[in-house]
């Protein structure tokens, strides 16, 4: 399935755990340090450095790009470290997250409540995934180095829906399904 | 007495950091390809094939296999008849890491203080484990370690009465908890015996042993095989999305221990289990 990013809530609702999706459009990178800073800014009444509404955040800290490259190796980092900050970010309109690994109950509840979606990209496939990133520009928190916020244009970026807007969780169902099949 | 200059160490460490991050060690490459052929989970197979493609792109375009190019962990065996000339060996190793991570466009993932968290911007300091050994050689193993998997590692202070079953149950529990966070297929490094900190160090060292090799003690080799089977019947699979390839290898290293204890450490590693060795 191919979808354009950003996407609206109607699109979110169509996505089901287990769907294999190719994303094309604009996404933003943010990981630990950027989340902490965004979160603290928002708690103090400030704004995130880009409009969260309808957007998708990729939990990513790439390797540096060499001359002539758009970006270095660019695979997902473990999402659970963002769990503390995620519910507030979802309340501010974010529609999707790309990472790898389990999410907390609070995050899953917030995904259902705000109608959002959690995608996984293949962990450890940073060289492959970098090829789907066509443009990349640091737009905030430059001082954080690899953890800065980047605006990126992606084409056919491969992800799998792990937690959908109804709270179905592929990490639980896929293993059961595989075992039952046996 | 043989003499080696620290310039030699700097140069080799720097090259090894780059090489380890661009080309997966042969044993791992072989294991992943074999697993891709045998995997019967639908998503699992697809993911393993993507990992193979990823390795090929990394090698061809000289892009790191994974964006987490790790903290540089080194095991250094210093021959007791070797004389090292120049600067301090630790400074030389760190200089090699600094150059490798900068010249190789590798990610700088080290913060100076665990709480203040300011990036050192050159991926130093490295974590260096020295051993003094017979001979006049310097043997350096570098294992850049990613933290997605490192964070899922565990130390258990088991009781002697927990026995073999206790060891197996604890490793299995650690693998289940790690699940998709450790980027399966994993390599599971196990340190058994010694004391609290030696068990953990042995677990890390176990990860540098060739995937698919066995411990030289017969009963430990058997347990390695049995745990691997248990882990691969959890169904976690590649990416944690179902399949039989949850781990590519379980490597156990042991040491003598106290009559009252049985320390066990499980060091999780992902399929990007980087290790490279040179003897100078
Ligand atoms: S756990 Fe391994 S494969 Fe996954 S992101 Fe970290 S270093 Fe890369």
């Amino acid at each position: 399935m191919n979808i354009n990013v950003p996407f609206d809530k109607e699109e979110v609702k169509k996505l089901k755990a287990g769907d294999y999706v190719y994303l094309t459009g604009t996404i933003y990178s943010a990981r630990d340090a950027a989340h902490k800073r965004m979160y603290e800014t928002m708690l103090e009444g400030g704004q995130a450095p880009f409009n969260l509404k309808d957007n998708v955040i990729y939990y990513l800290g790439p390797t540096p790009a060499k001359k002539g490259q758009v970006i270095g190796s660019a695979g997902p980092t473990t999402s659970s470290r963002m769990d503390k900050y995620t519910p507030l970010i979802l309340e501010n309109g974010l529609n999707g997250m790309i990472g790898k690994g389990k999410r907390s109950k609070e995050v899953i509840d917030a995904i259902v409540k705000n109608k959002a979606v959690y995608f996984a990209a293949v962990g450890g496939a940073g060289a492959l995934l970098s090829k789907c990133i066509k443009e990349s520009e640091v737009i905030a928190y430059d001082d954080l180095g690899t953890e800065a916020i980047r605006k990126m244009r992606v084409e056919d970026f491969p992800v799998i829906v792990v937690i959908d807007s109804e709270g179905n969780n592929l990490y639980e169902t896929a293993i059961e399904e595989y075992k039952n099949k046996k | 007495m043989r003499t080696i200059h620290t310039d030699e160490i700097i140069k080799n460490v720097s090259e090894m950091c780059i090489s380890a991050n661009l080309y997966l060690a042969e044993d791992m490459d072989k294991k992943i390809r074999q697993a891709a052929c045998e995997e019967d989970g639908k998503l699992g197979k697809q993911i393993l094939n993507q990992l193979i493609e990823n390795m090929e792109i990394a090698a061809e375009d000289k892009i790191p296999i994974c964006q987490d190019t790790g903290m540089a962990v080194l095991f250094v065996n210093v021959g007791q008849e070797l004389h090292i000339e120049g600067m301090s060996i630790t400074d030389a190793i760190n200089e090699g890491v600094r150059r490798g991570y900068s010249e190789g466009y590798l990610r700088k993932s080290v913060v100076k203080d665990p709480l203040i968290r300011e990036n050192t911007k050159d991926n130093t300091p490295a974590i260096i484990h020295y051993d003094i050994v017979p001979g006049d050689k310097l043997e350096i193993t570098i294992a850049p370690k990613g933290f997605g998997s490192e964070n899922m590692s565990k130390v258990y202070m088991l009781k002697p009465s927990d026995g073999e079953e206790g060891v197996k149950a604890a490793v299995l529990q650690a693998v289940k908890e790690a699940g998709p966070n450790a980027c399966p297929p994993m390599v599971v490094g196990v340190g058994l015996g010694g004391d609290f900190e030696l068990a953990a160090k042995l677990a890390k060292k176990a990860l540098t042993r060739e995937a698919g090799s066995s411990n030289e003690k017969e009963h430990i080799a058997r347990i390695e095989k049995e745990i691997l089977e248990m882990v691969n019947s959890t169904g976690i699979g590649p990416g944690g999305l179902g399949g039989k390839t949850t781990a590519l290898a379980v490597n156990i290293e042991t040491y003598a221990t106290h009559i009252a204890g049985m320390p066990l450490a499980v060091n999780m590693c992902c399929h990007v289990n980087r290790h490279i060795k040179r003897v100078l």
Side-chain angles (χ1 to χ4, degrees):
Chain A
M1 188 192 319
N2 294 291
I3 60 171
N4 293 323
V5 267
F7 43 74
D8 60 19
K9 296 286 179 204
E10 284 314 305
E11 199 71 41
V12 171
K13 285 185 208 156
K14 287 188 213 152
L15 295 167
K16 299 288 170 223
D19 286 350
Y20 204 94
V21 184
Y22 293 93
L23 303 176
T24 297
T26 302
I27 62 175
Y28 294 84
S29 76
R31 52 170 290 154
D32 306 51
H35 270 77
K36 181 168 189 276
R37 201 178 283 180
M38 271 197 289
Y39 179 80
E40 284 166 358
T41 307
M42 282 154 65
L43 281 188
E44 287 161 8
Q47 297 267 323
F50 63 98
N51 188 1
L52 296 171
K53 192 168 174 331
D54 291 351
N55 270 311
V56 172
I57 287 181
Y58 182 18
Y59 300 145
L60 162 72
T63 59
K66 284 186 203 161
K67 233 181 155 182
Q69 284 180 337
V70 173
I71 199 162
S73 193
T77 195
T78 311
S79 310
S80 57
R81 293 191 316 271
M82 267 49 80
D83 282 357
K84 175 179 171 188
Y85 312 116
T86 298
L88 182 69
I89 289 173
L90 290 177
E91 287 195 0
N92 280 272
L94 190 80
N95 269 358
M97 299 151 282
I98 308 169
K100 59 149 170 131
K102 302 172 194 173
R103 306 305 308 251
S104 67
K105 182 168 181 306
E106 289 74 23
V107 169
I108 298 175
D109 289 347
I111 286 174
V112 174
K113 186 172 154 227
N114 297 288
K115 296 285 161 228
V117 59
Y118 171 53
F119 302 105
V122 177
L128 175 79
L129 293 167
S130 75
K131 297 287 172 192
C132 307
I133 301 175
K134 304 299 180 186
E135 284 170 35
S136 165
E137 177 201 354
V138 171
I139 56 151
Y141 305 165
D142 202 5
D143 60 303
L144 296 180
T146 183
E147 298 202 62
I149 295 185
R150 288 173 177 75
K151 182 176 179 183
M152 301 181 292
R153 186 169 66 79
V154 295
E155 258 174 46
D156 297 326
F157 189 93
V159 292
I160 300 162
V161 178
V162 170
I163 302 170
D164 63 26
S165 57
E166 285 163 16
N168 299 305
N169 185 349
L170 188 65
Y171 284 140
E172 281 162 16
T173 55
I175 295 171
E176 281 314 303
E177 210 171 283
Y178 171 77
K179 284 171 120 178
N180 291 339
K181 203 186 75 186
K182 297 221 92 181
Chain B
M1 188 175 253
R2 208 179 142 237
T3 299
I4 179 172
H5 196 276
T6 44
D7 284 351
E8 190 77 6
I9 299 175
I10 296 174
K11 179 175 153 278
N12 277 281
V13 167
S14 145
E15 289 168 2
M16 287 162 84
C17 287
I18 297 174
S19 178
N21 275 296
L22 296 183
Y23 316 103
L24 203 52
E26 221 171 287
D27 57 323
M28 291 300 302
D29 183 294
K30 213 169 106 201
K31 280 274 166 201
I32 294 173
R33 286 175 197 274
Q34 185 190 340
C37 291
E38 290 166 8
E39 181 56 65
D40 57 1
K42 193 170 148 268
L43 275 173
K45 198 177 182 77
Q46 196 171 346
I47 288 171
L48 290 173
N49 283 326
Q50 282 178 322
L51 295 183
I52 293 172
E53 204 187 331
N54 183 61
M55 288 192 289
E56 287 167 354
I57 293 174
E60 193 159 316
D61 294 359
K62 306 217 170 355
I63 303 173
I65 308 161
C66 179
Q67 77 290 337
D68 185 353
T69 50
M71 218 173 159
V73 178
L74 291 96
F75 289 94
V76 180
N77 290 340
V78 186
Q80 62 192 27
E81 286 156 47
L82 179 70
H83 172 65
I84 296 167
E85 196 179 76
M87 58 172 95
S88 103
I89 179 171
T90 300
D91 289 349
I93 289 172
N94 278 317
E95 182 56 28
V97 168
R98 187 173 292 124
R99 286 191 199 171
Y101 274 74
S102 134
E103 287 162 16
Y105 290 84
L106 306 177
R107 198 178 76 183
K108 286 66 176 180
S109 313
V110 176
V111 294
K112 200 177 195 166
D113 178 281
L115 289 171
I116 301 170
R117 308 202 71 79
E118 193 188 341
N119 198 302
T120 62
K121 299 203 166 72
D122 61 6
N123 221 53
T124 67
I127 295 173
I128 311 169
H129 303 288
Y130 292 104
D131 252 327
I132 312 283
V133 300
D136 62 0
K137 300 272 190 286
L138 183 70
E139 184 189 294
I140 303 177
T141 302
I142 296 192
K145 185 66 176 75
F147 260 55
S149 48
E150 189 74 359
N151 281 339
M152 305 316 288
S153 304
K154 296 260 189 282
V155 173
Y156 302 92
M157 299 308 283
L158 298 180
K159 296 189 290 295
S161 62
D162 291 327
E164 184 182 320
E165 293 317 309
V167 171
K168 289 180 178 166
V171 177
L172 192 64
Q173 184 193 331
V175 167
K176 282 188 180 160
E177 267 178 47
N181 294 25
C183 291
M186 316 169 195
V187 175
V188 186
V190 179
L192 179 61
D195 61 356
F196 179 74
E197 86 282 357
L198 184 61
K201 184 171 149 185
L202 287 172
K204 170 97 352 107
K205 203 165 190 179
L207 290 174
T208 67
R209 207 181 81 204
E210 203 175 299
S213 64
S214 301
N215 188 290
E216 54 196 30
K217 287 189 205 162
E218 211 174 298
H219 70 296
I220 300 295
R222 172 182 56 78
I223 296 172
E224 287 178 337
K225 238 177 110 206
E226 287 171 7
I227 296 180
L228 182 61
E229 270 166 32
M230 288 164 78
V231 165
N232 284 340
S233 54
T234 56
I236 295 171
L241 295 172
K244 65 176 173 187
T245 322
T246 302
L248 297 165
V250 175
N251 288 355
I252 306 179
E253 290 297 314
T254 65
Y255 195 80
T257 191
H258 189 276
I259 47 173
M262 192 165 65
L264 171 75
V266 186
N267 195 190
M268 290 297 172
C269 194
C270 47
H271 55 90
V272 189
N273 178 20
R274 294 158 280 209
H275 48 91
I276 183 167
K277 182 165 99 178
R278 280 192 192 173
V279 181
L280 306 183

